[in-house]
Amino acid sequence: MCGIVGYVGGERCVEVLMEGLRNLEYRGYDSAGLALAGPDGLRTAREVGPLNNLAGTVGQRDGDFFSMRSGVGHTRWATHGRPTEANAHPHTGGGAPVGPEVAVVHNGIIENHAELRDELRARGFEFRSETDTEVIAHLLGEGVAAGSSLKEALVETLQRLQGSFAVAAVSAAEPETVVAARHQSPLVVGLGEGENFLASAVQALLGYTRRFLFVENGEVAVLTGTSVELSTLDGRPVERDPFEVDWSAEAIELGGYEDFMLKEIHEQPAALQATLAGRLDADGSVDLSELGFDLSGIERIDVVACGTAYHAGLLGKSALERLARIPVEVAVASEYRYGDPVGDEKTLVVAISQSGETTDTLAAVEAARGFGARVLAVTNTQGSLITREADAVLLTKAGPEVGVAATKTFLTQVAALYLLSFGVAEARGARPVEEIKEIGRALRRSPEKVEEAIELLGEPGLMSAAVGVFAGARCALFLGRGQSFPVALEGALKLKEISYLPAEGYPAGEMKHGPIALVDEQCPVVAILGEGTLREKTLSNVEETVARGARVIAVANEDDVAAGRIAQSVLPVPNVPQILSPLVSTVPLQFLAYHVAKARGLDVDKPRNLAKSVTVE
Ligand code: G6P
């Protein structure tokens, strides 16, 4: 969480920093700030709240502010200290009478900040914020005041820090330079002509460059307008080839949609198409040679993930077990990492992470390494930390996702896991090849079927009727069985994330063992009916809630007549082969959460307290 940017080179410094922050706002929006370096000192601007507040302040600054050629910026997700202006980054250090000022932005957590704070206080430093970051600013300022270059002072400072960080800093003493370093938190360098950039993620800079250099753990980057130098903490130069990303700048614009979440829901057919392309032939055969793995040697699979990715993992388990007949465990990464997991070199650990930088998921990968597992990362972010930790990577090709609530990346994660299940099934000879191919051909139709689901839900009045069921609601219960249970979990998560209504996803059959006590007119039941025997069973459970006064929204096949008899609102999905059912059933739940949140006047793209990338444990 927290986004950092840096720039050095030309006079568009403020523009680049603000645009970079705009594209990183998904990482946190408690406060934002800029610091610019010029020969006669630093200029800073900081504001509490979303970036627009900072933009308003910046807009009132004089021409001098806009003539600076280097600077750093930050958008904050508060960890240490409330979202106040004093706690907003950048934090400054040094300054008269001890020497020139430095300004620092930081993403991560400095674990030994309390000891460092005591030590600095004892040396006469005064603290202006409650943040862990301010110790970095003082240490750096002290080093520069003592005559070190900005880079030297950064290296000396880093040696004092424990924890995770990506930091970037500028100094009035060297206004042509931006320095940065990282340990565990993400950082990339963007390469330009006569200018260079830094950011937490590539999407910050797509409007300016597509050429990037990764900064690895323990490396320091020194940028000027015409050079980028990477080195290790002990001073060894690092040579690294740049890489080019294929995401376009347009992909992170609204393109006429009211919100990114709405845009990203509509992008799902294309995202699925891109994820399947080149991996699933017209005849349904799968090609995962890109993994470079022999999938036949695997005896069990552990899936680790957080949030929405965990729900994708549950659907992956159901496909892997059904098709490949291999035992699969799915674990929340923050539990797995501390859970002393059991496994060996025949265990495949599948780590799912949209961002590829979720701290707990990365730690779960490390835990799996401890027992010799092979690791496959399923991620949407090229070059992210997880791609460098894993033995193999299966990229979901959803394009950048800006809305904090995951939508298109969820569907593509599920599709990627389905591909994996075909690959493992084939390698193990678990099912007749023709049977797997037939399911593969069904999966090839997912873009078209998800498109149909979106169209069906566009019928006038459908969504407003469903939102009407939520009038006066104080909570919601999402029920499903089998594959529809993870869908229920995902539907409940979407609703609570963006509408702030308490929502539970539950296996419909288990509902009688607790959640049924919640049911009354103010606790709508959202039932994902699915098909076959489980549909019948779910319907009976829904009847039980109706008997207790529940108002029901049913996600049902378009020809499911019985659904209309028990539900106040039916959200239809196209009839599809079993494997596609979770994909099409998720779409109405995304729309439902979206419209309920909009009806409550909420910001669906930036829900309170959340961040899209969670880089703290
Ligand atoms: C945060 C986001 C969720 C996401 C989860 C895992 O909580 O708000 O949307 O599912 O992190 O993120 P990852 O990038 O690892 O998939």
Side-chain angles (χ1 to χ4, degrees), residues 306-309 352-356 358 361 404 406 413 497 611-612 614:
C306 303
T308 288
I352 314 168
S353 174
Q354 179 282 128
S355 61
T358 301
T361 309
V404 165
Q413 283 164 354
E497 280 181 313
K612 194 158 184 68
V614 181

Side-chain angles (χ1 to χ4, degrees), residues 544-590:
E544 290 153 9
T545 68
V546 171
R548 284 153 183 89
R551 293 159 59 73
V552 175
I553 296 172
V555 172
N557 286 349
E558 52 187 326
D559 57 4
D560 189 334
V561 186
R565 286 203 281 270
I566 54 156
Q568 272 69 35
S569 148
V570 178
L571 298 176
V573 290
N575 293 329
V576 289
Q578 191 192 11
I579 192 148
L580 298 189
S581 173
L583 297 175
V584 296
S585 303
T586 300
V587 177
L589 303 183
Q590 296 168 336

Side-chain angles (χ1 to χ4, degrees), residues 1 26 304-311 352-362 378-381 386 401 403-407 409-410 413 490 493-494 497 607 610-614:
M1 6 264 267
Y26 67 85
V304 293
C306 303
T308 288
Y310 170 73
H311 300 155
I352 314 168
S353 174
Q354 179 282 128
S355 61
E357 59 179 67
T358 301
T359 296
D360 283 321
T361 309
L362 290 166
V378 175
T379 180
N380 196 45
T381 311
I386 211 165
E401 188 175 69
V404 165
T407 52
T409 55
F410 174 66
Q413 283 164 354
E490 177 58 10
L493 180 64
K494 286 291 87 90
E497 280 181 313
L610 296 175
K612 194 158 184 68
S613 294
V614 181

Side-chain angles (χ1 to χ4, degrees), residues 16 31 68 97 123 136 143 152 155 164 177 199 254 276 314 345 389 399 439 481 502 605:
V16 172
S31 63
M68 314 285 261
R123 292 213 294 277
I136 308 179
E152 287 160 358
V155 169
S164 60
T177 306
L254 278 168
L276 300 179
L314 293 174
E345 56 289 344
E389 301 296 330
I439 300 171
R481 283 173 180 254
D605 286 338

